[in-house]
Amino acid sequence: MRVLAVVLLAAVVAVAAAAVELPEFREAPAFRNGAGCEGAPTIHIAMTLDATYLRGSLAGVLSVLRHAACPESIDFHFVASSASHARRLAALRRALAAAFPTLPATVHRFDARLVRGKISTSVRRALDQPLNYARIYLADLLPPTVSRVLYLDSDLLVVDDVARLWATDLGPDAALAAPEYCHANFTSYFTDAFWNHPEYSSIFADRARPPCYFNTGVMVIDLDRWRAGGYTAKLEYWMEVQKQEARIYELGSLPPFLLVFAGEVKAVEHRWNQHGLGGDNVAGQCRELHPGPVSLLHWSGKGKPWLRLDAGRPCPLDALWAPYDLLRRRGARDDLLAAVA
């Protein structure tokens, strides 16, 4: 009996170890402030941190630092789910520290219980994860002293100085800035049940401008205005409508943002979110860049560059992501970052 107990305990330990095992990552180059950085503002960037997108998050951080004129003036805020086991969270912290030993960073725990009763199934399982909704709660997760934050998804690269995006003028009233795409069919983001309901569809009647689609993977947020305007509660309201009253949308955390902010977003140049490089939410097919200059590449959609590269079926633009990949491979040289250093 004692032998059986020992065997069972060993099995449990082995399973637990496997559950927190993460790939090894190389240490990124150290990036220092350039001339003229004295007195530069602190840039606060928020990203999620989990095992599934860890590789993408680290590549994104590297891209931000590589192209910043004042990289030492950037503070990162990583949001991790409270549902993560303590050992998993510790493993994530170790991976982050291994890649960026001197990075000014804070890991904030997001209470997944805040949204578990408000999430409805969507077209892709990844969109249904509680951490995908953490961006709604940044005003509560970050300290009150942080009055502005740049939220970035974990499947993108910044190829320009992020200070230019950070300096976006939100004007006298806007709480959120993002690239808008007014050519997109806005009505397609909501169901017939939404548009046929006079109370729901009238929500856009009093907006400053006609509502346009924007991607929530790149947002400049004025947290003071967000808190004062009670925007977290407004977003939660539409999540509750979706869950309890009628199915009014299909796409995870995006539609509530459109319902609350579309028509009142401070527009940012399209160069700051060349999105859709991961294809659609079903097939994840290859796509080309949109016409115009590029400051940020965003693999939104089903196809992620690290998965396609590992599978040996990359899309042409995935080659732009590869030099930022910090994954340590056996037999690979650690100077491969020369391409981005």
Side-chain angles (χ1 to χ4, degrees):
M1 194 70 175
R2 182 176 298 176
V3 173
L4 178 60
V6 171
V7 171
L8 290 174
L9 178 61
V12 170
V13 171
V15 170
V20 299
E21 185 177 351
L22 295 173
E24 291 187 10
F25 294 92
R26 298 171 290 174
E27 181 177 339
F31 297 99
R32 303 302 181 193
N33 281 358
C37 285
E38 184 176 354
T42 299
I43 296 173
H44 294 276
I45 296 179
M47 303 177 72
T48 57
L49 187 67
D50 69 336
T52 303
Y53 284 86
L54 176 61
R55 196 166 157 191
S57 295
L58 297 182
V61 172
L62 175 58
S63 73
V64 169
L65 298 175
R66 163 65 182 85
H67 296 281
C70 304
E72 294 178 290
S73 300
I74 301 174
D75 280 0
F76 283 87
H77 301 265
F78 294 98
V79 180
S81 174
S82 62
S84 297
H85 193 281
R87 286 191 292 269
R88 170 55 60 89
L89 182 60
L92 290 169
R93 291 179 184 271
R94 286 195 300 271
L96 180 62
F100 303 100
T102 62
L103 185 72
T106 306
V107 177
H108 306 268
R109 301 296 300 273
F110 170 62
D111 187 353
R113 294 173 299 180
L114 289 170
V115 294
R116 286 206 185 278
K118 303 182 180 72
I119 296 176
S120 55
T121 57
S122 63
V123 295
R124 186 158 59 91
R125 185 177 178 184
L127 301 177
D128 304 337
Q129 302 307 307
L131 200 57
N132 190 45
Y133 291 79
R135 70 196 79 187
I136 293 173
Y137 297 90
L138 291 175
D140 301 319
L141 290 167
L142 273 57
T145 52
V146 178
S147 59
R148 173 182 285 218
V149 69
L150 170 58
Y151 176 81
L152 298 177
D153 268 350
S154 296
D155 54 0
L156 55 75
L157 295 178
V158 177
V159 293
D160 198 347
D161 188 352
V162 76
R164 296 188 176 100
L165 178 58
W166 175 258
T168 299
D169 182 4
L170 273 73
D173 302 311
L176 187 153
E180 289 184 301
Y181 303 90
C182 295
H183 63 277
N185 181 7
F186 187 79
T187 60
S188 67
Y189 291 96
F190 303 98
T191 65
D192 290 342
F194 173 82
W195 293 113
N196 292 332
H197 194 293
E199 182 179 345
Y200 296 161
S201 57
S202 66
I203 190 68
F204 299 114
D206 297 327
R207 298 292 165 89
R209 293 175 287 106
C212 294
Y213 160 75
F214 65 94
N215 181 278
T216 58
V218 179
M219 298 184 290
V220 182
I221 302 172
D222 186 311
L223 293 176
D224 287 341
R225 292 178 183 174
W226 183 292
R227 295 170 181 128
Y231 286 110
T232 296
K234 293 177 181 179
L235 288 158
E236 287 181 323
Y237 166 77
W238 286 109
M239 293 166 65
E240 290 166 355
V241 169
Q242 163 83 348
K243 192 70 174 178
Q244 300 174 14
E245 296 183 18
R247 190 167 182 85
I248 57 175
Y249 56 78
E250 304 288 350
L251 278 174
S253 63
L254 168 64
F257 273 90
L258 297 180
L259 288 164
V260 172
F261 291 106
E264 296 182 350
V265 170
K266 178 69 174 180
V268 175
E269 287 184 274
H270 288 175
R271 66 187 302 153
W272 284 107
N273 196 349
Q274 285 268 350
H275 69 293
L277 303 185
D280 62 17
N281 284 304
V282 179
Q285 70 274 34
C286 297
R287 287 184 175 172
E288 297 180 353
L289 288 174
H290 308 295
V294 180
S295 293
L296 187 149
L297 300 159
H298 188 186
W299 279 262
S300 58
K302 183 178 180 181
K304 303 307 174 188
W306 57 92
L307 296 178
R308 296 194 294 215
L309 287 163
D310 287 353
R313 297 189 298 272
C315 293
L317 291 176
D318 296 344
L320 300 176
W321 184 90
Y324 295 88
D325 186 9
L326 289 170
L327 181 70
R328 184 186 296 278
R329 295 179 177 84
R330 289 184 179 180
R333 295 168 56 191
D334 276 347
D335 61 356
L336 291 179
L337 293 177
V340 297

